[in-house]
Amino acid sequence: AKEMAKKMKKLQAVAAAEWEAEKEARRKKKEQAEAGKNPEQKEQEEAVLGPAPESEFVESAADRLKKRKATETPEEIAAAKRKREDEAKAKAERAAKRERDKVDEWKQIWPEDDYRQCYACVGDGVCEWVKSKHTKLPDCVHPILRVPVCRGCYKHYHHEDFLVLPDEESGKMEHFKCRCCAEGGSLIFCDNAEYKCPQTICEDCILRLVGQDDLEDILEPGPWTCFCCDPTPIEPIQVRWE
């Protein structure tokens, strides 16, 4: 192994010497060619080709490769080539993955103008929809029902604490504030036994959400499933994403 290393060093030294000798020969040849030209020829060449580079010798790709072969072992050159190929392959794979994972931006679809109002109105003191006399379109989405609400009611909803307490008769855990407007009032509790839903919505909010006829049907005796468990009745006024 030591003898092979010595031989390799000698070969590299010889190659480096040959490289320097070749470079010197090219320099001298260039100087001789420049010396044989008259000033008029030099001016014409500079006008066509531009001024000569400042460096005495400009390396080409072949020259750089020859120089590397003179100073690096074949294993090092091969390793550098594999590294460049791996980097190019990884870059191509990242670009392909970005194309595969590219997803169009989701677009928010609001209800038609006639249905775009605040459905969590809690009065003139909070609801911007009422304060603006129905001229300011709501720009927030109710976090539970996904219906349009104004910014004032949205903030009011998140400032309220929703306590879940057990009902004395049924023992079921229930909210005691409307899950639409975050206020009290005449509450109607969800009767979905499958999910043991604790949600409750006041009559005023149900009236705004589905109208008088549906409210009267809900007030009739019998179990009622809230709009959180079954949002079908309020789908026409919900904000959706496509």
Side-chain angles (χ1 to χ4, degrees):
K2 291 182 180 180
E3 292 180 0
M4 288 295 294
K6 288 180 180 180
K7 288 182 180 180
M8 183 61 68
K9 286 183 179 180
K10 288 182 181 179
L11 290 173
Q12 288 178 351
V14 171
E18 291 177 353
W19 166 252
E20 292 296 333
E22 183 179 348
K23 189 166 69 169
E24 183 67 18
R26 289 187 184 186
R27 186 182 64 79
K28 289 182 179 179
K29 186 177 180 181
K30 184 179 178 182
E31 288 178 353
Q32 291 174 359
E34 292 291 333
K37 295 178 183 177
N38 57 43
E40 293 181 358
Q41 287 179 331
K42 290 182 179 180
E43 289 180 0
Q44 290 177 357
E45 288 184 359
E46 287 185 359
V48 176
L49 303 175
E54 296 181 359
S55 60
E56 296 181 355
F57 183 73
V58 179
E59 292 183 344
S60 65
D63 294 334
R64 289 194 296 271
L65 180 59
K66 187 179 290 186
K67 186 176 180 180
R68 286 187 60 197
K69 287 182 177 179
T71 57
E72 298 180 9
T73 64
E75 290 78 8
E76 291 174 340
I77 295 175
K81 182 179 179 181
R82 286 195 300 271
K83 183 179 179 181
R84 292 194 300 272
E85 291 175 350
D86 292 341
E87 289 176 352
K89 184 178 179 181
K91 184 177 180 181
E93 289 177 353
R94 289 195 297 270
K97 186 177 185 301
R98 283 196 298 269
E99 289 295 325
R100 290 195 303 270
D101 297 343
K102 187 183 291 184
V103 179
D104 295 335
E105 293 184 359
W106 285 79
K107 185 179 179 181
Q108 203 173 45
I109 307 298
W110 289 79
E112 296 179 1
D113 291 342
D114 294 341
Y115 295 103
R116 188 167 178 177
Q117 62 176 358
C118 179
Y119 290 95
C121 173
V122 294
D124 186 41
V126 175
C127 186
E128 296 177 358
W129 171 255
V130 175
K131 286 191 289 185
S132 64
K133 296 183 180 179
H134 298 185
T135 58
K136 185 176 182 180
L137 291 177
D139 58 355
C140 294
V141 181
H142 195 282
I144 301 295
L145 301 175
R146 295 192 293 116
V147 296
V149 294
C150 70
R151 195 170 297 274
C153 289
Y154 184 85
K155 291 180 180 178
H156 175 76
Y157 183 90
H158 288 301
H159 287 167
E160 291 296 315
D161 293 329
F162 288 93
L163 299 178
V164 182
L165 302 174
D167 182 75
E168 294 181 357
E169 297 181 1
S170 64
K172 188 180 76 168
M173 303 299 289
E174 293 177 338
H175 286 289
F176 282 87
K177 279 189 178 179
C178 174
R179 289 295 276 173
C180 181
C181 66
E183 290 291 313
S186 301
L187 300 175
I188 301 178
F189 295 91
C190 179
D191 297 316
N192 190 339
E194 182 179 357
Y195 300 110
K196 296 181 179 180
C197 179
Q199 311 291 9
T200 178
I201 301 178
C202 69
E203 293 184 13
D204 291 338
C205 287
I206 293 175
L207 179 62
R208 283 191 297 272
L209 290 167
V210 295
Q212 183 66 39
D213 293 340
D214 286 357
L215 173 60
E216 292 178 357
D217 293 340
I218 292 170
L219 291 175
E220 292 180 359
W224 173 65
T225 301
C226 71
F227 304 133
C228 299
C229 296
D230 181 17
T232 305
I234 61 173
E235 281 182 354
I237 61 174
Q238 283 184 321
V239 181
R240 66 184 190 278
W241 286 261
E242 292 182 352

